[in-house]
Amino acid sequence: MDKIVFFDLGGVLLNWQDDWLYEEVSRQTRISINKIKQDFDSYISLLFTGKISEKEFWEKILGDVKINPNTICETFQKNASLNEDIFALAQHLKKCKYQIGILSNITPETRKTLHNEWFTSFDHVYFSNEIGIAKPDPQVFRYVLDRHGHSEIFFIDDKQENIDAAKRHGINSILYKGQTDLISEIVQEQSLKI
């Protein structure tokens, strides 16, 4: 049986913190970070799946308050960087005969800024804006299982709600909290042989 390890992108394969975005939006609008976080979640799925543009997203949550309509994309481009340790882990898993994949929520605008060479070594790449479904919607995991149900699937993400949704579909999952030794946790919790 094939084994596939799927990695989230922002916060796992890429160094990224949502707080960087909230801080930037707060700086531009003078709205509190807590208020931004509350409103952000209301429409983020529509943005991740490409149903609304980033400009429309800001209009929905900020109304007439002015903001750079490319804030998400520009903040991501400025701050995100490859997590070398996790990328090396993914490559190590591939050498150990595991298939590796990416399962990530991302805006269409941000997706265009990513370097394609980051993804060429991955066997499977699923972005929310391309498949039209965003985590933690259970349909994301149904989508993956429909394509790889014959395989044993493992999933690593930095958001508990995504891990919980994956587990409800029987997908072995690990919450990434910035551990330096993720290999140990994978071996211990998921019985992967590395």
Side-chain angles (χ1 to χ4, degrees):
M1 176 186 291
D2 290 337
K3 293 189 177 185
I4 308 171
V5 180
F6 280 97
F7 294 84
D8 177 41
L9 192 59
V12 180
L13 276 169
L14 295 179
N15 296 308
W16 170 256
Q17 297 175 24
D18 290 342
D19 285 344
W20 295 340
L21 178 60
Y22 301 142
E23 288 164 8
E24 177 59 26
V25 173
S26 182
R27 186 190 66 73
Q28 286 187 41
T29 63
R30 305 289 183 233
I31 297 172
S32 77
I33 289 176
N34 286 339
K35 174 86 169 102
I36 292 164
K37 284 182 183 180
Q38 267 180 355
D39 295 342
F40 204 84
D41 290 340
S42 302
Y43 297 98
I44 194 65
S45 182
L46 292 172
L47 179 62
F48 281 149
T49 56
K51 293 180 175 71
I52 60 174
S53 68
E54 187 173 337
K55 183 177 186 290
E56 292 167 320
F57 173 75
W58 292 125
E59 287 169 356
K60 285 184 178 296
I61 69 171
L62 298 176
D64 293 333
V65 176
K66 298 295 179 207
I67 189 170
N68 172 355
N70 299 311
T71 296
I72 295 173
C73 181
E74 289 177 9
T75 304
F76 189 87
Q77 197 169 13
K78 179 175 138 189
N79 293 296
S81 62
L82 185 64
N83 184 330
E84 300 284 351
D85 292 337
I86 300 302
F87 187 75
L89 168 61
Q91 300 312 304
H92 179 73
L93 288 167
K94 187 162 184 160
K95 286 180 187 167
C96 294
K97 306 298 183 209
Y98 290 86
Q99 293 179 35
I100 55 174
I102 294 171
L103 178 59
S104 181
N105 289 348
I106 196 161
T107 69
E109 295 89 349
T110 304
R111 168 69 187 93
K112 291 174 190 169
T113 71
L114 297 174
H115 303 291
N116 282 333
E117 64 268 15
W118 286 346
F119 312 118
T120 56
S121 63
F122 287 85
D123 301 298
H124 312 284
V125 179
Y126 299 117
F127 292 120
S128 59
N129 73 301
E130 293 177 344
I131 64 174
I133 318 163
K135 299 175 293 181
D137 185 326
Q139 291 307 310
V140 168
F141 302 103
R142 174 60 33 219
Y143 182 92
V144 169
L145 288 169
D146 286 348
R147 282 148 187 78
H148 307 287
H150 60 282
S151 302
E152 188 171 359
I153 300 171
F154 301 87
F155 176 56
I156 301 167
D157 198 289
D158 64 323
K159 292 191 170 44
Q160 187 65 55
E161 62 268 25
N162 296 338
I163 293 297
D164 293 343
K167 284 182 176 180
R168 282 193 294 276
H169 277 78
I171 296 174
N172 300 306
S173 304
I174 292 177
L175 179 65
Y176 177 67
K177 303 179 208 170
Q179 309 95 300
T180 53
D181 195 7
L182 190 56
I183 289 179
S184 298
E185 186 162 348
I186 290 173
V187 170
Q188 186 176 38
E189 298 224 359
Q190 309 301 337
S191 304
L192 284 173
K193 305 277 189 285
I194 299 177

